[in-house]
Amino acid sequence: MTAIRLHPRSDIVAMSTEPIGKKALVVDDDASVLRLMTHWLTRAGYSVVPCESFEQGKQQLTDSPPDVLLTDLRLGAFNGLQLVIQARAQSPETISVVMSAFDDMTLRDEAARCGASYLMKPFSLTQLLEVANRESDTGAPLDPVA
């Protein structure tokens, strides 16, 4: 299990209680990370669908593609990049963000090739929202974020 620490700047972003009309799918097999990401995104105004397994995430992608996909890289025997590839095939406008506690340049490059941003754990809500907002404004994936 990966322990998530709140980044010192995590409280910089003003939280919104107003829905922003965007749906986020969060997939992580670590319950504490799943709760934190769900809390952050809900407070930022997203409608959040949390999934604790690759299989649940894959089913949600099929049933109702999200505006934003936030997935852990390692999901048991599966890889979060598989979800990114599925999301892109079904809904090319879906913004994909891969989270990992491991800083691996090969994985960063692979995420970028799949059209996803790469966030290193721990990261702040500010960093997460900057990635999602800049991508949705330009329609193109960002360079990986450390």
Side-chain angles (χ1 to χ4, degrees), residues 55-67:
E55 293 83 1
Q56 287 179 353
K58 184 175 178 181
Q59 187 62 50
Q60 278 297 321
L61 282 173
T62 300
D63 294 346
S64 179
D67 298 298

Side-chain angles (χ1 to χ4, degrees), residues 6 19 30 33-35 46-48 53 63 65 70 73 76 79-80 84 87 95-96 101 103 107-108 111 115 120 145:
L6 288 179
D30 183 326
V33 173
L34 189 60
R35 278 192 308 272
Y46 284 83
S47 168
V48 181
S53 70
D63 294 346
L70 179 63
L73 181 63
N79 184 314
V84 170
I95 297 164
S96 296
D103 191 11
L107 293 173
R108 282 178 179 268
M120 277 289 301
V145 176

